Amino acid sequence: MNIHTYEKVWLAASMVLIVGFIATITYGAVGPGVSMISDDGGSIDPSEINDDERFEETGVTHVGGNEYEVAVLAQAWSYSPDEIEVPAGSEVTFYVTSPDVTHSFSVVGTNVNTMVVPGQVSEMTVEFDEPGEYGILCNEYCGEYHHTMEGTLSVVPEDEFDLTELSVEAPDEVEAGNETTINATVSDGMRTDLETTATLEIGGEQYDEDVTIDGDGSESVEFAVDADRLGEGDHDWTVTVDGEEESGTLSVVDGANDDSDDSEGGADDA
């Protein structure tokens, strides 16, 4: 059978294209790691995401050593959290899902790029060796404000990273002559022990309390404040721990005036 020269050329070109397509797919799977959405993360009921322990609190979790997990919720038209911070030299596994429509989770400059399908948890792991900042984008059209759906991933030097959290309970007012307390609770999200100092500054004075926390735990400290030493008036206070800070105002009032007013009111009624 005689095959025309032009047919031979087209057959050869077709074979080259087929081999090229196969090579491209193979490289994408082996090199950059392009693949179908992983089902390793499992499934989830989109209407009950907030009740799922994996997404009840989104954000970064230390799972040991240099390994971290990040739970991310993609929803119209934002990510929660929209700012993520991890240490350099870490291995980070992202778990991403959606309660509404299909989105995507793409960390620019890395091989993290996946569709986020309601009812499915997308799982991706990447290593961050050097400090840097990466944009997070949604590249699946998800509605009117799709273009506003973005976030930031910051990789910081290891010695600048911690998961310390601070919460403070303090009264707004105290009577002169009394004492009151300002209570600080320090939480450590790392699975290593933490030894640090909680500092209260109020009325020109500074109070320090040492805090020791077992890995992935919390500890409360109590600062006793003498209203007489402060004097009447408003006094701004600040509590700091490892770069975390909370502040407020404590008012010292003259309790004698209240007693006097009550007495006068009682005499008038009589």
Side-chain angles (χ1 to χ4, degrees):
M1 181 178 64
N2 184 35
I3 301 177
H4 196 280
T5 302
Y6 286 126
E7 292 182 338
K8 291 179 181 179
V9 171
W10 281 110
L11 284 171
S14 299
M15 293 300 296
V16 170
L17 285 174
I18 291 172
V19 171
F21 290 150
I22 294 174
T24 299
I25 294 171
T26 302
Y27 170 74
V30 176
V34 177
S35 63
M36 296 297 290
I37 302 173
S38 171
D39 60 0
D40 293 341
S43 59
I44 190 170
D45 185 340
S47 65
E48 298 180 358
I49 285 179
N50 292 332
D51 297 328
D52 189 289
E53 61 180 9
R54 292 173 294 179
F55 296 95
E56 188 175 6
E57 290 188 14
T58 58
V60 181
T61 302
H62 183 219
V63 295
N66 67 337
E67 297 182 9
Y68 296 82
E69 293 180 350
V70 184
V72 180
L73 197 60
Q75 54 194 339
W77 290 276
S78 64
Y79 294 103
S80 176
D82 60 358
E83 294 184 0
I84 300 170
E85 185 177 276
V86 296
S90 61
E91 180 180 284
V92 182
T93 299
F94 295 93
Y95 296 93
V96 193
T97 193
S98 168
D100 44 38
V101 299
T102 298
H103 301 276
S104 84
F105 183 77
S106 176
V107 181
V108 181
T110 75
N111 64 350
V112 174
N113 183 12
T114 185
M115 292 178 66
V116 183
V117 180
Q120 185 170 334
V121 179
S122 299
E123 177 182 342
M124 304 139 287
T125 300
V126 63
E127 294 183 4
F128 295 100
D129 296 325
E130 300 293 337
E133 189 168 290
Y134 303 84
I136 300 174
L137 299 175
C138 175
N139 52 28
E140 292 285 336
Y141 183 73
C142 55
E144 181 179 5
Y145 295 101
H146 159 71
H147 62 284
T148 67
M149 190 166 173
E150 59 184 9
T152 303
L153 171 67
S154 299
V155 181
V156 301
E158 189 173 3
D159 59 357
E160 296 180 11
F161 178 81
D162 68 61
L163 290 176
T164 304
E165 294 183 0
L166 170 66
S167 63
V168 179
E169 294 182 2
D172 296 324
E173 185 178 280
V174 62
E175 292 184 357
N178 294 335
E179 283 193 351
T180 189
T181 57
I182 294 178
N183 299 301
T185 300
V186 185
S187 301
D188 177 25
M190 303 291 286
R191 293 186 179 272
T192 53
D193 295 345
L194 173 68
E195 293 185 2
T196 187
T197 300
T199 299
L200 166 67
E201 294 181 356
I202 184 172
E205 296 189 5
Q206 178 173 309
Y207 304 82
D208 295 320
E209 292 286 346
D210 293 333
V211 182
T212 301
I213 305 174
D214 293 334
D216 198 20
S218 63
E219 188 70 31
S220 295
V221 295
E222 184 177 279
F223 298 98
V225 178
D226 188 338
D228 277 345
R229 293 185 64 177
L230 292 177
E232 292 182 26
D234 295 336
H235 302 276
D236 295 332
W237 57 262
T238 301
V239 176
T240 56
V241 178
D242 283 3
E244 299 295 317
E245 179 179 298
E246 281 205 26
S247 58
T249 300
L250 175 65
S251 298
V252 179
V253 299
D254 185 358
N257 290 337
D258 295 336
D259 295 338
S260 175
D261 292 341
D262 291 342
S263 299
E264 290 174 2
D268 291 340
D269 292 340

